[in-house]
């Protein structure tokens, strides 16, 4: 299922009838005192793997680094500028298109505005160059409506929603003792950002989380992964049928 596990001749054969390729995106950034830095990437790769088990797509090596200005006050935020992320996405997708793989769907689970904007701009740049890419954009209202209640309230960083997804795939990476001790911290992140808050401390996230991580469960994570897989399958179908 992993594109980069193939040999060069095998990829050459594959280009004769190219599958959709999935490009997981995330960030290396603080997710509270309980969840790993690569939470967003684990979610992106988790949904890609689930979809790859159901339909004949291939999963590209992920782009782990993203825009992490909002969490820069905490240890572990390892970020890149918007232009770097944009250029990397564009060049990877253009390189694939040039060798016969025109269908790439970007799967991003890091929702910092700079990250979301860079991804959308990369899709536009590619379109200008004749390469159509899909984008599973969970910040679109119609998509967000299908996710959990906590996600819809805008408290969507390292809370019940994201922590449940990590518990479903990598429970070994969650400090469950720390998780259970965390009080709910409701923060409507999109609203606070519209009001001018530029980072987590300004939003009242003094421990780099919001929402209710103590309520997280692997069962909810599996259920959310099912929904994310459905959404990704729909994005794939849109890309290959709208030509
Ligand atoms: Zn996250």
């Amino acid at each position: 299922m992993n594109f980069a596990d193939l040999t060069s001749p095998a990829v050459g054969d594959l280009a004769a009838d190219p599958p959709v390729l999935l490009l997981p995106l995330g960030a290396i950034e603080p997710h509270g005192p309980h969840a790993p830095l690569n939470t967003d990437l684990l979610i992106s790769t988790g949904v890609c793997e689930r979809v790859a088990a159901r339909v004949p797509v291939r999963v590209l090596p992920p782009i782990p680094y993203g825009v992490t200005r909002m969490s820069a006050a905490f240890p572990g935020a390892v970020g890149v500028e918007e232009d770097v992320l944009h250029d990397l996405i564009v060049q990877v997708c253009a390189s694939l298109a040039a060798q016969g793989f025109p269908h790439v769907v970007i799967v991003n689970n890091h929702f910092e505005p700079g990250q979301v904007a860079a991804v959308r701009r990369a899709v536009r740049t590619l379109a200008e160059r004749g390469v159509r890419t899909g984008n599973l954009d969970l910040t679109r209202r119609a998509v967000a409506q299908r996710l959990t209640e906590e996600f819809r309230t805008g408290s969507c960083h390292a809370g019940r929603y994201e922590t449940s997804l990590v518990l479903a795939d990598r429970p070994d990476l969650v400090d469950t003792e720390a998780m259970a001790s965390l009080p709910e911290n409701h923060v409507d992140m999109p609203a606070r950002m519209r009001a001018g808050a530029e980072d987590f401390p300004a939003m009242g996230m003094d421990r780099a989380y919001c929402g209710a991580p103590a309520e997280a469960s692997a069962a909810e994570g599996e259920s959310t992964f099912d929904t994310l897989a459905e959404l990704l399958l729909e994005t794939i179908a849109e890309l290959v049928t709208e030509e």
Side-chain angles (χ1 to χ4, degrees):
M1 84 170 53
N2 292 319
F3 181 84
D5 289 346
L6 297 170
T7 62
S8 171
V11 169
D13 292 344
L14 203 61
D17 183 15
V20 170
L21 305 179
L22 306 178
L23 178 59
L25 261 54
I28 307 301
E29 72 159 3
H31 276 79
H34 62 293
L37 298 176
N38 64 343
T39 289
D40 299 345
L41 197 61
L42 287 169
I43 297 169
S44 292
T45 51
V47 65
C48 288
E49 285 164 3
R50 281 166 176 77
V51 165
R54 289 166 61 176
V55 296
V57 297
R58 300 281 179 158
V59 184
L60 292 163
I63 297 178
Y65 297 106
V67 180
T68 60
R69 223 166 276 126
M70 304 196 85
S71 56
F74 303 91
V78 186
V80 297
E81 294 289 331
E82 281 87 339
D83 285 349
V84 173
L85 179 62
H86 166 272
D87 291 356
L88 191 51
I89 295 168
V90 168
Q91 290 176 31
V92 166
C93 293
S95 169
L96 289 161
Q99 50 188 296
F101 295 94
H103 296 131
V104 175
V105 174
I106 298 163
V107 180
N108 175 45
N109 279 279
H110 174 52
F111 309 122
E112 180 160 339
Q115 172 100 356
V116 173
V119 173
R120 289 180 181 171
R121 184 156 61 91
V123 171
R124 289 197 301 273
T125 303
L126 284 158
E128 286 162 11
R129 297 183 190 179
V131 181
R132 270 188 71 243
T133 44
N135 179 18
L136 177 60
D137 189 344
L138 302 179
T139 65
R140 283 167 47 216
R141 189 177 298 264
V143 175
Q145 287 306 321
R146 290 167 62 182
L147 295 168
T148 68
E149 188 185 344
E150 184 190 80
F151 190 91
R152 293 196 305 269
T153 67
S155 262
C156 49
H157 181 81
R160 173 174 170 165
Y161 171 86
E162 285 193 330
T163 306
S164 292
L165 287 160
V166 179
L167 285 173
D169 263 10
R170 289 297 305 272
D172 56 308
L173 297 182
V174 178
D175 181 339
T176 46
E177 207 172 307
M179 178 190 109
S181 74
L182 295 172
E184 181 169 3
N185 180 28
H186 176 68
V187 176
D188 183 340
M189 294 180 74
R192 299 297 283 269
M193 287 185 279
R194 283 194 298 275
E198 290 184 345
D199 62 12
F200 287 176
M203 280 189 253
M205 294 164 59
D206 57 358
R207 297 179 78 188
Y209 80 94
C210 58
E215 294 172 15
S217 70
E220 177 178 311
E222 273 307 337
S223 164
T224 300
F225 266 128
D226 286 345
T227 307
L228 292 173
E230 289 301 327
L231 289 165
L232 178 51
L233 285 164
E234 291 169 20
T235 306
I236 292 168
E238 273 170 36
L239 179 67
V240 295
T241 55
E242 270 181 16
E243 295 207 314

